[in-house]
Amino acid sequence: MKPILEIENLKTYFFKKEGVVKAVDDISFHINPGEIVGLVGESGSGKTITGFSILGLIDSPGKIVSGNIRFKDMDLQKITPQQMQDIRGNRIAMIFQDPMMTLNPVLRIQTQMIETVKAHNKNISDQDAYTICRDTLGLVGISSPDERMKAYPHQFSGGMRQRVSIAIALLNKPDLIIADEPTTALDVTIQGQVIFEMQKLCKESGTSLLWVTHDLAVVAGITDRICVMYAGRIIEQGATDKIINDPVHPYTQGLIKSVPSKNKKGEKLHQIDGMVPSMFSLPKGCAFEQRCYLRAEQCKEVQPAETKHADGRLYRCLKVGEHS
Amino acid sequence: MNNQTKYELLSKVWSEFSENKVAVIALIFFGIILFVAIFAPLISPTDPYDLATVTIMNSRLPPMEEDFSGNVYWLGTDGAGRDMLSAIFYGLRISLSVGVLSGLFALMVGAFFGISAAYFGGRYETLVMRIVDIQLSFPSILVALIILAAFGKGVEKTIFALVLVQWAYYARTARASALVESRKEYVDAARCLSLGNLRIMISHILPNCIPPLIVVGTLQTAHAISLEATLSFLGLGLPQTEPSLGLLIGNGFEYVHTGDYWISIFPGVALLITIVSINLVGDQLRDMFNPRLKK
Amino acid sequence: MTVYILQRSLQSIVVLFIMSLIVFCGVNLIGDPVYMMISPESEPAEIERTIKEFGFDKPVLEQYWYFLKNVISGDFGRSFVQGIPALPMILERFPATIELAIFSLFISLLFALPLGIYAGLYPERKASRIIMSGSILGFSMPTFWVGIMLIMLFAVKLDWLPSTGRGQLGTFLGIESSLFTLDGLLHILLPAINLALFKLSSVLRLTRAGTREVILQDYIKFAKAKGLPQSRVIGVHLLKNILIPVVTVIGLEFGSLVAFSTVTETVFAWPGAGKLIIDSMYNLDRPVIVAYLIIIVAFFVFLNLIVDILYSFLDPRVRIKGSSE
């Protein structure tokens, strides 16, 4: 089966006055049609930038320095701006992180939804566009959608705003949805609902989903595969159940152990010592070396290349397989 | 602060200021203008108000033309025969003095009310700031007109009007920075120690208000000079005995249609350079002190 | 919302009261109020009669009451210079001033909005820097001097446009204005540009600042991510957000234009209320001065009220109370 999205050796750097930030530093992964892939990492690991890079939304001083982004049969970096515009919100849709600021405060919900439909369906009538929007609102669990359409964003709670964002993403029945922390800003109870609904929608319509988050617990439940990012690189990727149950990279292991539910009652919560290095001064060797229990001299010198594990997953580590 | 830290502070301020080349040039121009204004009687080629030397025979000579006694008037002469260059020098002196003087008074009045409003708070603060808001909702020229209508014309009255127009800007700025400072804990501590209120306000709160006040000061001074010129031009500001640049331009206005352009253009250019240079310096100072623009 | 309107209206009335008090005190305590009604050169008998007639020998509070009564009924006395009632004199000249102010506002917005948005979107470009430097210049040049320069260039030197007076009036939709005739347009062009120039700079800077702030917002990026064309992102999403602070400024700018028209009208001999007040102040025509001041203050208070209401209207966050988070 041919992947719907293929990213090869993507590098997105930010050229600031103080130095170069290698936000995304040589990552490669793919998404198959109908698959749900999780992109996991802490803040600053480069996962949001990855999403923006795919859609060409990197603003100066950022730039995609090298790499390939292939969507279906198109090289997303080589297409014309008009073609990219046709893809955004249409074939690839994005759900942003913060529902508070994503919606324009001075425009009604219906305006912001209908314009998305009309931008990609030139001949549709206002009435039909309205119907599609209203029905989609119902789909994401918003009651009395007709009233809600006329409202302004500030009249909604955070959870509802996020649902609206999700609805907007679904309007044109995209092939791929990039969801950047779609449930992070929500209450725990709402979170569960939204996650369930998104999973259901995707499975029913065959839409691929790239779920970007820092919350390992969330992706563990719904993804087919996981990519773990650290300091701009993917340090482990593979089938979800394998990675969750038997992580090989020390960072992934630390992450899994840190999840509170994995704790026994009364036990101290696990932490990974140290901090993520400053993105302005990444070390020559492995970025995780300082905090790694497997570290050795060679880890300081050489950045690990992507290696294939026996069970099919990929990882970047020189010392995997050895336990201290 | 000892001299060493003062020197360090000044050189830091200067190096930041000089990042903007345009502002530096503006400062130089302003320096020249200040020099001219202060030393006008010494460096002026003639005394344009010495009735003995001024004669109507020389009136309306274009720039660089010789009169019958062989004097060359670089910028020409006006309708009464006065040398434009000298008139401009003296005019700068008056425009600048009135502008700066009114600015200083307005600063003192405004800072007093602004800081005390922030410090004492309560109804006093609400009252003062409400007055400030209402006054600021009227264009300055209108406020000036109201005051001049009530009090009449004249030098002191013009300065008074200018002070009354400007104090509100200073008050608002002073209060904003004083508010930040007043909320700090050491002020509460000082109050507990029964340090005199006046002393607290002057030694502790005032120093922190100075940078934004300087910014407002420069921009307001430019505004005051412009406003005075406008009022004098209209015949409502300074009397004929104190010919500021505005008055010169006003006098030259009647010659516009006859083509004797130099009588109003040159004073206008002098006025323009003064105002623009002060504005540019003030702009740069404002950017320097604005924390939101720090990268 | 209605509560808000009521509150603001009440405030405005209070301000008007206070202003009338100030004007009253200014005249009574500073000058001799008799001379507000009648010229100081009149016969002593005439002065006596006026004092009795207007009750200047009565206690101050009663005088103020008289003053208020007169003001509300529109009686401001007669002009010393022309002898006709002051209020109608001013009102008659107001249309010319308003016409000039509206046209200036139009010109200033026509240039300031697009230039400001451009400078805000592309601050690094050379054109933007030139625009911003130009705005400092526009800000610094005193209106009257610009007016003189304009006359010198366009009227005297090039002889393209007339330099004084108002052109012919035309009628359109029941409104009389010099904008509706070619002659009228030619006459209004220079004074309008003069008046517009000063305010153009401040509107431009505001637009630019607003643009720079709004363009960084998430919802702009989101709009792009939805695949909306750039024209819609700028024209709808950006513009509507910028318009809120700009409209506020425009309202106040309009008031400022009316105030500054005193200068422009004097320079261009434009027969509006502004020129009248300047002439009156010069001639010490007190009734006209007082009438003008009261009217203009009332105008401003009213304008501020309208702007406040308009602002709350435009920003749906103020207009409709949101749900609590």
Side-chain angles (χ1 to χ4, degrees):
Chain A
M1 164 163 53
K2 196 154 185 281
I4 197 169
L5 180 75
E6 235 183 308
I7 300 192
E8 273 172 21
N9 307 110
L10 177 66
K11 289 188 190 175
T12 306
Y13 293 178
F14 283 78
F15 300 92
K16 294 186 152 175
K17 246 186 9 185
E18 305 89 335
V20 181
V21 177
K22 299 186 181 175
V24 174
D25 193 14
D26 190 6
I27 63 169
S28 308
F29 68 96
H30 66 278
I31 303 179
N32 294 318
E35 229 188 358
I36 302 183
V37 174
L39 188 58
V40 180
E42 2 185 342
S43 349
S45 57
K47 42 193 212 305
T48 305
I49 304 291
T50 307
F52 284 149
S53 301
I54 297 174
L55 277 180
L57 290 174
I58 301 289
D59 294 323
S60 143
K63 210 168 108 100
I64 298 181
V65 173
S66 66
N68 280 324
I69 304 174
R70 232 180 336 262
F71 174 68
K72 292 182 173 179
D73 280 318
M74 290 183 274
D75 183 341
L76 289 188
Q77 294 189 71
K78 294 234 170 48
I79 56 177
T80 67
Q82 183 60 43
Q83 286 173 307
M84 180 53 105
Q85 199 182 296
D86 290 336
I87 291 180
R88 291 185 192 139
N90 193 16
R91 308 276 58 91
I92 305 180
M94 191 156 174
I95 301 172
F96 279 36
Q97 194 167 345
D98 184 356
M100 302 269 284
M101 290 312 297
T102 307
L103 297 170
N104 195 329
V106 302
L107 298 173
R108 294 182 203 267
I109 299 294
Q110 68 184 27
T111 317
Q112 302 188 52
M113 291 187 82
I114 293 179
E115 68 180 356
T116 318
V117 177
K118 293 194 88 171
H120 299 288
N121 299 285
K122 297 283 188 288
N123 298 318
I124 197 168
S125 74
D126 283 350
Q127 188 53 42
D128 290 337
Y130 180 87
T131 315
I132 294 178
C133 296
R134 190 205 49 213
D135 293 343
T136 317
L137 276 188
L139 210 64
V140 293
I142 292 183
S143 50
S144 337
D146 280 296
E147 275 169 42
R148 297 299 189 178
M149 289 280 272
K150 300 211 186 325
Y152 286 94
H154 69 279
Q155 293 174 272
F156 285 18
S157 67
M160 293 187 68
R161 265 184 274 209
Q162 195 59 310
R163 287 183 201 234
V164 171
S165 307
I166 297 173
I168 293 181
L170 295 171
L171 283 174
N172 292 317
K173 304 205 185 339
D175 303 313
L176 168 66
I177 297 181
I178 303 173
D180 194 343
E181 308 270 16
T183 56
T184 310
L186 304 176
D187 297 331
V188 179
T189 40
I190 313 282
Q191 243 189 38
Q193 280 176 25
V194 173
I195 293 174
F196 174 73
E197 276 158 15
M198 287 198 70
Q199 187 177 24
K200 189 171 92 146
L201 285 167
C202 288
K203 288 304 180 198
E204 278 172 2
S205 54
T207 311
S208 310
L209 183 57
L210 178 65
W211 192 292
V212 180
T213 180
H214 65 270
D215 192 342
L216 205 59
V218 166
V219 293
I222 72 169
T223 57
D224 304 311
R225 287 188 299 116
I226 293 185
C227 304
V228 182
M229 270 188 94
Y230 185 79
R233 322 189 86 206
I234 296 182
I235 48 95
E236 186 165 358
Q237 57 171 306
T240 306
D241 48 353
K242 291 207 184 74
I243 297 198
I244 297 292
N245 295 323
D246 182 23
V248 298
H249 194 286
Y251 176 63
T252 324
Q253 294 172 343
L255 273 186
I256 307 263
K257 274 202 245 165
S258 307
V259 177
S261 56
K262 290 270 176 183
N263 248 39
K264 287 218 207 43
K265 211 166 118 159
E267 215 177 59
K268 203 165 89 150
L269 279 178
H270 183 264
Q271 272 183 67
I272 309 177
D273 284 329
M275 289 202 330
V276 182
S278 154
M279 293 303 280
F280 284 106
S281 50
L282 288 172
K284 188 167 68 160
C286 173
F288 190 65
E289 179 261 332
Q290 279 288 317
R291 315 160 74 181
C292 183
Y293 69 91
L294 285 179
R295 69 173 186 267
E297 271 312 299
Q298 51 172 178
C299 298
K300 281 203 224 171
E301 299 301 312
V302 168
Q303 279 199 35
E306 219 163 31
T307 327
K308 195 157 181 178
H309 194 272
D311 67 4
R313 76 178 87 177
L314 296 165
Y315 63 88
R316 288 183 189 271
C317 181
L318 302 170
K319 291 274 160 200
V320 148
E322 305 173 32
H323 301 273
S324 62
Chain B
M1 265 202 288
N2 58 31
N3 285 329
Q4 176 69 359
T5 30
K6 267 192 202 151
Y7 174 71
E8 278 167 10
L9 188 69
L10 275 170
S11 46
K12 180 163 170 282
V13 168
W14 173 250
S15 63
E16 229 187 303
F17 184 85
S18 47
E19 269 176 26
N20 184 341
K21 303 289 169 238
V22 176
V24 175
I25 296 178
L27 193 62
I28 295 177
F29 266 104
F30 180 66
I32 297 175
I33 286 177
L34 200 61
F35 179 79
V36 167
I38 298 180
F39 294 109
L42 298 176
I43 58 174
S44 176
T46 72
D47 182 347
Y49 304 108
D50 182 359
L51 294 169
T53 52
V54 171
T55 159
I56 200 127
M57 300 277 282
N58 288 338
S59 74
R60 298 170 57 192
L61 292 172
M64 298 306 281
E65 199 169 283
E66 257 187 42
D67 70 359
F68 58 87
S69 30
N71 296 322
V72 178
Y73 299 101
W74 286 28
L75 296 179
T77 58
D78 69 357
R82 292 182 282 241
D83 172 31
M84 284 310 299
L85 188 64
S86 317
I88 292 179
F89 283 179
Y90 278 87
L92 270 173
R93 190 170 218 223
I94 295 172
S95 292
L96 227 60
S97 344
V98 172
V100 172
L101 208 67
S102 61
L104 277 170
F105 280 135
L107 177 83
M108 292 194 283
V109 172
F112 171 74
F113 279 110
I115 295 180
S116 60
Y119 186 75
F120 291 113
R123 279 213 257 228
Y124 172 67
E125 179 184 22
T126 320
L127 181 66
V128 171
M129 292 328 287
R130 188 51 59 88
I131 296 178
V132 167
D133 282 339
I134 293 180
Q135 183 178 325
L136 287 179
S137 68
F138 289 90
S140 45
I141 192 166
L142 198 64
V143 180
L145 282 180
I146 293 179
I147 297 169
L148 286 172
F151 293 95
K153 298 176 244 189
V155 185
E156 325 82 45
K157 308 200 179 95
T158 307
I159 296 184
F160 179 63
L162 288 174
V163 170
L164 231 61
V165 165
Q166 295 179 73
W167 82 274
Y169 295 95
Y170 288 104
R172 181 178 269 182
T173 310
R175 175 202 173 233
S177 32
L179 259 186
V180 172
E181 207 57 28
S182 304
R183 300 277 175 271
K184 292 195 181 158
E185 284 171 358
Y186 74 86
V187 172
D188 285 335
R191 269 194 247 227
C192 290
L193 289 176
S194 319
L195 251 43
N197 281 329
L198 195 64
R199 177 152 162 217
I200 300 178
M201 288 197 284
I202 294 183
S203 4
H204 297 290
I205 302 187
L206 182 60
N208 284 287
C209 302
I210 290 189
L213 280 176
I214 292 182
V215 173
V216 173
T218 38
L219 297 172
Q220 276 305 309
T221 304
H223 183 209
I225 295 178
S226 180
L227 191 57
E228 178 273 314
T230 307
L231 293 170
S232 302
F233 169 79
L234 293 172
L236 300 172
L238 298 175
Q240 287 279 349
T241 52
E242 303 292 337
S244 70
L245 292 174
L247 215 95
L248 291 177
I249 300 174
N251 287 341
F253 182 48
E254 52 183 292
Y255 299 107
V256 164
H257 290 93
T258 57
D260 300 337
Y261 64 92
W262 60 93
I263 309 181
S264 40
I265 276 208
F266 294 127
V269 171
L271 186 66
L272 188 67
I273 296 179
T274 310
I275 298 178
V276 171
S277 55
I278 299 179
N279 269 334
L280 284 174
V281 170
D283 237 22
Q284 173 66 357
L285 285 176
R286 179 178 45 202
D287 285 348
M288 268 169 58
F289 290 128
N290 187 347
R292 270 185 292 162
L293 288 179
K294 299 276 184 242
K295 301 257 165 49
Chain C
M1 171 75 171
T2 348
V3 176
Y4 183 69
I5 297 183
L6 277 173
Q7 262 183 351
R8 284 294 287 112
S9 309
L10 213 67
Q11 263 183 18
S12 308
I13 297 181
V14 171
V15 172
L16 269 174
F17 246 125
I18 298 180
M19 288 313 290
S20 74
L21 203 64
I22 293 180
V23 175
F24 177 75
C25 291
V27 172
N28 273 338
L29 302 181
I30 311 296
D32 198 326
V34 185
Y35 303 125
M36 197 186 104
M37 291 328 245
I38 192 170
S39 172
E41 271 101 54
S42 317
E43 302 269 337
E46 186 74 14
I47 297 180
E48 254 324 293
R49 194 181 66 76
T50 315
I51 292 182
K52 288 255 153 25
E53 186 185 328
F54 290 103
F56 288 131
D57 46 352
K58 300 233 177 63
V60 182
L61 240 80
E62 227 184 294
Q63 285 189 44
Y64 180 59
W65 174 240
Y66 260 120
F67 176 71
L68 271 185
K69 257 186 25 179
N70 282 335
V71 164
I72 294 177
S73 64
D75 181 4
F76 286 91
R78 289 162 179 276
S79 154
F80 293 159
V81 174
Q82 296 199 31
I84 57 180
L87 185 62
M89 218 172 129
I90 297 179
L91 290 180
E92 189 210 2
R93 300 185 49 142
F94 242 100
T97 301
I98 301 286
E99 171 187 85
L100 184 62
I102 291 182
F103 194 55
S104 301
L105 187 67
F106 169 70
I107 292 182
S108 122
L109 285 181
L110 192 69
F111 287 97
L113 280 180
L115 286 177
I117 292 181
Y118 180 84
L121 288 178
Y122 311 112
E124 302 300 314
R125 290 200 191 161
K126 199 147 176 228
S128 300
R129 291 197 201 273
I130 294 178
I131 292 175
M132 291 318 290
S133 318
S135 80
I136 292 196
L137 216 65
F139 186 83
S140 311
M141 297 198 280
T143 319
F144 69 95
W145 190 72
V146 176
I148 297 180
M149 290 297 113
L150 283 174
I151 292 183
M152 273 202 225
L153 182 61
F154 290 103
V156 180
K157 200 101 198 213
L158 294 174
D159 204 9
W160 285 354
L161 293 164
S163 63
T164 51
R166 193 182 182 199
Q168 277 178 6
L169 299 178
T171 329
F172 183 69
L173 294 181
I175 306 177
E176 243 198 333
S177 159
S178 69
L179 292 170
F180 302 133
T181 65
L182 182 64
D183 179 58
L185 273 175
L186 289 177
H187 275 89
I188 203 176
L189 208 57
L190 279 183
I193 292 178
N194 179 210
L195 203 53
L197 223 57
F198 186 74
K199 289 306 154 187
L200 201 151
S201 330
S202 39
V203 177
L204 192 144
R205 300 184 115 202
L206 190 78
T207 313
R208 173 180 181 261
T211 305
R212 280 183 85 181
E213 206 184 289
V214 168
I215 203 74
L216 295 173
Q217 298 299 312
D218 273 352
Y219 51 81
I220 295 290
K221 203 164 196 151
F222 187 63
K224 282 197 209 155
K226 292 196 293 189
L228 299 177
Q230 187 76 340
S231 57
R232 188 167 171 97
V233 176
I234 307 279
V236 174
H237 286 258
L238 179 79
L239 201 62
K240 230 181 152 195
N241 273 281
I242 297 182
L243 274 180
I244 297 173
V246 168
V247 161
T248 319
V249 169
I250 288 177
L252 303 173
E253 292 297 311
F254 184 69
S256 188
L257 282 173
V258 170
F260 271 92
S261 71
T262 51
V263 180
T264 308
E265 288 179 19
T266 308
V267 171
F268 288 91
W270 185 266
K275 181 159 197 307
L276 183 62
I277 182 70
I278 300 295
D279 292 340
S280 305
M281 284 185 75
Y282 207 71
N283 297 326
L284 294 176
D285 193 349
R286 286 222 174 79
V288 178
I289 297 177
V290 171
Y292 179 86
L293 288 178
I294 300 258
I295 292 176
I296 206 87
V297 166
F299 173 72
F300 264 89
V301 170
F302 184 64
L303 193 67
N304 278 332
L305 181 66
I306 300 279
V307 169
D308 271 351
I309 295 178
L310 205 68
Y311 182 92
S312 66
F313 214 70
L314 272 180
D315 189 341
R317 288 167 285 193
V318 178
R319 177 161 40 117
I320 308 172
K321 283 190 85 62
S323 69
S324 50
E325 292 301 328

